[in-house]
Amino acid sequence: MPRYSGFRILAEGLRGNSGWQPAWRKPAPKSSYDVVVVGGGGHGLATAFYLAEVHGIRNVAVLEKGPIGHGNTGRNTTIVRSNYLLPENNNFYEHSLKLWEGLEQSLGYNVMMSQRGVINLFHNDAQRNAALRRGNSMRLNGIDAEILDRDGVKAMCPLVDLDNGRYPVMGGLLQRRGGTARHDAVAWGFAHAADARGVDIIEHCEVTGMIVEGGAIQGVRTTRGEIRAPKVGLAVAGHTSTLTDMAGFRVPIETHLLQAFVSEGLKPLIDCVVTFGAGHFYISQSDKGGLVFGGGLDGYPSYGQRGTLPEAEHVYAAGISMIPALGRLRGLRSWAGVMDMTPDGSPYICKTPVRGLYMTAGWCYGGFKATPGSGWCHAWTIAKDEPHRLNAAHTLDRFREGRMLDERGNGPFFWAQ
Amino acid sequence: MLRIPCPHCGPRDEAEFSYRGDATVTRPGPEDGIEAFHGYLYERRNPRGWQVEWWQHGAGCRAFLKVLRHTVTHEIRAVATATEALEVPEA
Ligand SMILES: Cc1cc2nc3c(=O)[nH]c(=O)nc-3n(C[C@H](O)[C@H](O)[C@H](O)COP(=O)(O)OP(=O)(O)OC[C@H]3O[C@@H](n4cnc5c(N)ncnc54)[C@H](O)[C@@H]3O)c2cc1C
Ligand SMILES: [Zn+2]
C-alpha cells in the first residue's frame, strides 16, 4: 500500500494524525559508498533517486550541508515549462516535463504539479516573430505551443493591461502543459522515494575537500569525516566553483543573486503563469493564495542569499505595468537565492577533468523545471560514465569547441543571461 | 543597497553603476593560443569572498572603476580608477 494516499489522510484524521512516520531516515554517514552526491537540493536528491530506480545503484549518499531543500529548490518561483528555442535544450526540458507529468506516481508523493499554462507576452512585431520562431521550433520537436492573439490573452488572464500606453500587448506564446509545482514537496518527495530505495540522505554534512589521486576522485572530506567513493556527482548550484576549486579546476560559472517575492494571500486571481515581454517579470498564484513573482538578477556576483532594493523596485514596477491591479496589493516577503550563471545561459550535465567526478550545474535561474530531467541525465552519466544523448551537448568543453548553447544570443556575459 | 564611493563623483547609489565582470581577468596576447583565450573569456575564479571587479559609473562620470567587494557580505573596501592597482587581500 502506498505510504501516502487519500485513504491514509482520512484514516490519520480519525486517529489524530498519530501514525505518520518521518518521510526519510537520518542515517549516520558510512565510510564509503558506490556514489556520493554532493548537494541535497532537488537536483542532488533526484540524481540519487534515479541512480537507485533506473540503474539499480543503491549504495548512495546525498551529502547536504544544511537541511535538504533550503537552497534554490526552496526559494524559486516554481515555474515548470519546456518552451526553449534550441533543440538541445527543448528536447532536454521536454524530457524533464514528461517526467514531471508522471512524477507523483513515480515518487508516491504529492508534488502539486499543476499544468495551468505558461504565457509569454509579446508587445511588438519583432517579439512576435521571435515567439513564432520559438513556438515552431518546439512544435518541430513534438512539444505543444500555441500563439494567442490579444483576445486569447484576455480570455486566459483578464487582468493583463492589453492597452498599456507604452507596451501594448500583441499576443502571447502559450505552452498549456507548462505550470507550477510545490517546490518543498519536490525536495521531500525525491528524498522520501530515494530513501525508500536505500539511499542515505545525510543532512548537516558539509563537503570541505575533495580527495583526488592520480587525476581520479577517491572521495570527499566532510564536517562528519572522510567518505570514500569511486564516483562523486556535484549538484550544488551556486556553490559549484567552491567545490571545483577543491578538486583543482575552474569552471565557466559566476554566482549571482536572484530575488523572489510573494504578496499577501488572496482569493483566486491569476490561474496561469504570465510573463511580461517588456521587462523581466513573471507571476503566478500559489495554492495558498499568495501571488508569487520575480524578475531578473540583481546584476553582481553574490553568495549572500539576499537582494537589494533597486531590483525589487524594478520588479514591482514591471508587475504594475503588466497588471495594474497589483498596485493595490501589499508585498508579504522577499528573499534571494544564489544562481550558477553560465556564459551562454545553458547548463552542464557532464563529466569533468577529474575522472569519476560528474556535475549537474549552471542552471542559471531556470533549473527548478529541470529537476527530474537533470537528476535523470546526471544519474545516467554517473552510472554509464558517458552522457545520454539528451545531455550530450551540455558539456564544460562546449565553449572551447565553439558549440555554445546560446539560447538568447547575449554574448559570453554571465550576468546578461 | 550598495553605496560605491566613485573617485571622481563621490559616494553614489548602486543604481548609477553597472557591474562589468572580474577585473583580475586580463586579455592574453594575440599569439597566446586557444587555452589562454578560453580561460580569459569563460573560466572564472568566482570567489566566495573578496573580488576585484569592474563597475562602470554609467549615470555619473561614465568611467570604468575597480571595486574591491566581498561576495558574501557585499562590503566595499576600496575603489580605484581603471589604471590603478587594486589587489585581492590574502584571506
Ligand atoms: C528566486 C529564484 C527563482 C527561481 N525561479 C525559477 C522558476 O520559476 N523556474 C525554474 O525552473 N527555476 C527557477 N529558479 C532556479 C531553480 O531554483 C534552481 O536552478 C534549482 O532549484 C537548483 O536546484 P539544485 O538542486 O541544483 O540547487 P539547490 O536547491 O540550491 O541545492 C544545492 C544544495 O547544495 C548544498 N551545498 C552547497 N555547498 C555544499 C557543500 N560544500 N557541501 C554539502 N552541500 C552543499 C546547498 O546547501 C544546497 O542545499 C529560481 C531560483 C531562484 C533563486
Ligand atoms: Zn563617477
Side-chain angles (χ1 to χ4, degrees):
Chain A
M1 200 184 81
R3 173 101 76 101
Y4 303 105
S5 65
F7 173 76
R8 185 73 200 280
I9 290 175
L10 201 70
E12 286 300 334
L14 297 172
R15 283 195 283 170
N17 286 306
S18 56
W20 297 111
Q21 295 297 316
W24 61 92
R25 296 164 297 134
K26 306 265 178 194
K30 295 193 279 186
S31 60
S32 76
Y33 289 91
D34 293 342
V35 178
V36 160
V37 179
V38 187
H43 290 219
L45 295 163
T47 302
F49 169 73
Y50 290 111
L51 277 170
E53 175 76 359
V54 179
H55 303 282
I57 304 175
R58 292 159 187 260
N59 185 23
V60 174
V62 177
L63 310 182
E64 165 53 53
K65 72 174 171 187
I68 62 165
H70 281 208
N72 295 339
T73 299
R75 293 165 187 265
N76 76 89
T77 45
T78 77
I79 302 168
V80 173
R81 57 187 174 88
S82 63
N83 56 1
Y84 282 72
L85 172 69
L86 302 176
E88 292 87 345
N89 282 337
N90 65 26
N91 282 320
F92 166 79
Y93 284 106
E94 177 62 8
H95 179 68
S96 193
L97 184 54
K98 286 186 176 146
L99 292 171
W100 277 109
E101 288 174 328
L103 197 60
E104 287 153 347
Q105 297 307 318
S106 4
L107 300 181
Y109 204 90
N110 184 5
V111 301
M112 295 166 77
M113 175 64 182
S114 159
Q115 293 178 289
R116 53 183 71 182
V118 173
I119 308 173
N120 303 140
L121 298 178
F122 48 79
H123 307 261
N124 55 43
D125 291 343
Q127 283 189 336
R128 183 200 51 202
N129 292 350
L132 279 164
R133 180 174 173 228
R134 185 144 62 101
N136 285 337
S137 163
M138 291 163 64
R139 292 171 71 140
L140 283 171
N141 287 294
I143 303 167
D144 72 303
E146 290 166 49
I147 293 290
L148 297 180
D149 59 11
R150 282 165 54 93
D151 290 341
V153 172
K154 194 170 182 63
M156 276 193 77
C157 197
L159 290 176
V160 169
D161 181 14
L162 296 178
D163 298 312
N164 179 303
R166 195 161 165 206
Y167 306 113
V169 173
M170 283 182 78
L173 174 64
L174 166 66
Q175 183 178 28
R176 283 192 200 273
R177 288 165 57 246
T180 60
R182 166 100 199 271
H183 48 7
D184 296 326
V186 172
W188 301 334
F190 272 114
H192 168 65
D195 175 272
R197 283 159 184 77
V199 170
D200 282 358
I201 294 163
I202 298 160
E203 294 168 279
H204 304 286
C205 179
E206 179 171 355
V207 171
T208 53
M210 307 282 251
I211 309 169
V212 180
E213 284 160 20
I217 196 85
Q218 308 293 333
V220 293
R221 286 186 203 91
T222 80
T223 47
R224 297 176 66 177
E226 201 172 285
I227 302 176
R228 293 263 156 183
K231 292 184 174 187
V232 174
L234 302 180
V236 292
H239 287 86
T240 303
S241 307
T242 61
L243 283 133
T244 57
D245 271 355
M246 298 173 195
F249 62 96
R250 280 189 186 176
V251 284
I253 287 181
E254 207 172 75
T255 296
H256 279 258
L257 271 177
L258 183 71
Q259 304 193 57
F261 307 82
V262 64
S263 78
E264 56 191 324
L266 300 158
K267 295 226 165 149
L269 193 68
I270 298 176
D271 60 2
C272 54
V273 180
V274 206
T275 77
F276 196 34
H280 209 150
F281 181 80
Y282 36 88
I283 189 164
S284 66
Q285 187 165 19
S286 82
D287 292 318
K288 268 198 297 192
L291 298 176
V292 181
F293 50 97
L297 300 173
D298 276 46
Y300 48 86
S302 171
Y303 289 80
Q305 291 188 319
R306 63 187 185 286
T308 50
L309 289 172
E311 182 56 29
E313 185 179 3
H314 173 86
V315 168
Y316 277 91
I320 292 168
S321 305
M322 183 172 92
I323 301 183
L326 299 184
R328 297 280 173 190
L329 298 180
R330 278 168 298 191
L332 186 64
R333 285 185 293 130
S334 70
W335 62 90
V338 290
M339 319 310 320
D340 30 346
M341 300 303 296
T342 67
D344 61 359
S346 295
Y348 313 117
I349 315 174
C350 58
K351 299 167 73 164
T352 70
V354 173
R355 267 198 319 286
L357 180 64
Y358 308 84
M359 66 164 71
T360 177
W363 289 100
C364 301
Y365 38 87
F368 179 68
K369 68 177 94 70
T371 304
S374 156
W376 194 92
C377 288
H378 193 208
W380 177 289
T381 308
I382 294 172
K384 314 249 180 206
D385 193 37
E386 64 181 23
H388 187 268
R389 68 180 163 74
L390 286 169
N391 62 307
H394 298 91
T395 64
L396 284 168
D397 273 341
R398 61 179 180 261
F399 308 102
R400 193 179 269 106
E401 295 165 355
R403 290 182 228 268
M404 294 173 76
L405 298 174
D406 202 354
E407 193 72 30
R408 292 172 52 172
N410 277 347
F413 306 108
F414 300 84
W415 58 91
Q417 303 303 326
Chain B
M1 185 80 109
L2 309 183
R3 191 199 281 162
I4 302 179
C6 174
H8 308 297
C9 315
R12 298 297 185 89
D13 183 311
E14 77 176 72
E16 293 187 7
F17 298 81
S18 19
Y19 169 77
R20 301 296 299 170
D22 183 339
T24 61
V25 176
T26 51
R27 190 183 172 86
E31 305 302 331
D32 286 355
I34 200 165
E35 283 310 311
F37 274 93
H38 180 264
Y40 163 64
L41 265 172
Y42 301 114
E43 286 173 353
R44 288 296 174 268
R45 234 166 39 88
N46 193 24
R48 191 175 194 279
W50 292 104
Q51 166 160 282
V52 178
E53 46 199 30
W54 294 116
W55 285 77
Q56 189 188 12
H57 195 184
C61 59
R62 303 196 56 77
F64 277 81
L65 306 170
K66 281 181 186 162
V67 176
L68 174 62
R69 191 181 62 92
H70 197 281
T71 63
V72 181
T73 63
H74 300 172
E75 178 191 343
I76 291 172
R77 187 171 282 177
V79 180
T81 62
T83 50
E84 282 166 359
L86 194 55
E87 299 297 321
V88 181
E90 276 306 311

